[in-house]
Amino acid sequence: MKQEKIRLLFVCLGNICRSPSAEAVMKKMVKDAGLEDRIEIDSAGILGYHAGEQADQRMRSHASRRGYKLESILRPVTTRDFFDFDYIIGMDDRNLADLRQMAPDQESVEKIHGMMDFAGNGLYDHVPDPYYGGAAGFELVLDLLEDACRGLLDTISSNPDN
């Protein structure tokens, strides 16, 4: 019997910096681990202001320097996502609260996790929004996402139910 893919959805406020970056970082790690046939990855935003657009140019530029391609087209979270994804991962407490409020049932609430819950670095409990800051903020986001995505991949890989 063929095992179904594990589906991950990364979520931030506008889906323009953090969640598309998490998607790109995780896609590269999954590809490098040879798990593309087992893990599917997407991103979305709480708000749909930027739907149909590409990720923030500054974020794309910083990510590109590390070998990541932010290719996703931005979209808002939908009710369907709670049924389609196994892990719904918010970047900060506001995202998590919004996701819990949007969740259609308790089973959906149980799919919601904080990004930094998977990180080995205990210095941050959320991924800060770099949108209104400078270059250092974008680099910090990538540092945090690399750490947390490694932890998430380890979590998924070590779970016998996956």
Side-chain angles (χ1 to χ4, degrees):
M1 182 175 172
K2 186 176 183 311
Q3 189 172 13
E4 283 192 38
K5 284 188 177 188
I6 298 159
R7 301 193 71 213
L8 313 175
L9 181 66
F10 295 104
V11 178
C12 69
L13 184 62
N15 191 213
I16 59 173
C17 293
R18 297 171 292 171
S19 56
S21 296
E23 176 185 355
V25 168
M26 193 67 178
K27 279 184 175 177
K28 185 173 186 315
M29 288 184 181
V30 165
K31 181 178 181 182
D32 291 349
L35 297 172
E36 291 172 292
D37 62 331
R38 289 194 52 225
I39 302 172
E40 189 173 319
I41 304 151
D42 196 3
S43 64
I46 299 295
L47 305 175
Y49 293 146
H50 300 281
E53 298 176 17
Q54 287 187 301
D56 182 272
Q57 176 56 45
R58 298 165 297 168
M59 192 77 249
R60 291 195 326 253
S61 177
H62 285 275
S64 177
R65 287 188 213 120
R66 295 193 191 197
Y68 304 116
K69 293 180 182 174
L70 276 67
E71 300 173 315
S72 58
I73 300 300
L74 311 182
R75 70 176 187 84
V77 173
T78 66
T79 301
R80 183 85 228 148
D81 290 328
F82 290 95
F83 300 101
D84 289 346
F85 289 91
D86 302 299
Y87 291 80
I88 300 173
I89 304 164
M91 298 295 139
D92 61 33
D93 288 343
R94 179 179 174 187
N95 303 152
L96 294 171
D98 288 341
L99 286 166
R100 287 183 189 109
Q101 191 170 29
M102 296 168 74
D105 55 29
Q106 185 58 38
E107 187 177 334
S108 297
V109 170
E110 292 169 11
K111 295 178 178 184
I112 300 168
H113 305 275
M115 185 77 226
M116 295 309 293
D117 294 348
F118 300 101
N121 172 352
L123 299 176
Y124 289 84
D125 63 356
H126 69 284
V127 180
D129 190 343
Y131 189 80
Y132 294 105
F138 292 97
E139 291 298 321
L140 174 62
V141 164
L142 290 167
D143 290 342
L144 295 173
L145 292 175
E146 287 173 343
D147 179 26
C149 284
R150 271 192 298 277
L152 176 58
L153 187 56
D154 288 346
T155 298
I156 291 169
S157 298
S158 65
N159 185 341
D161 293 335
N162 293 330

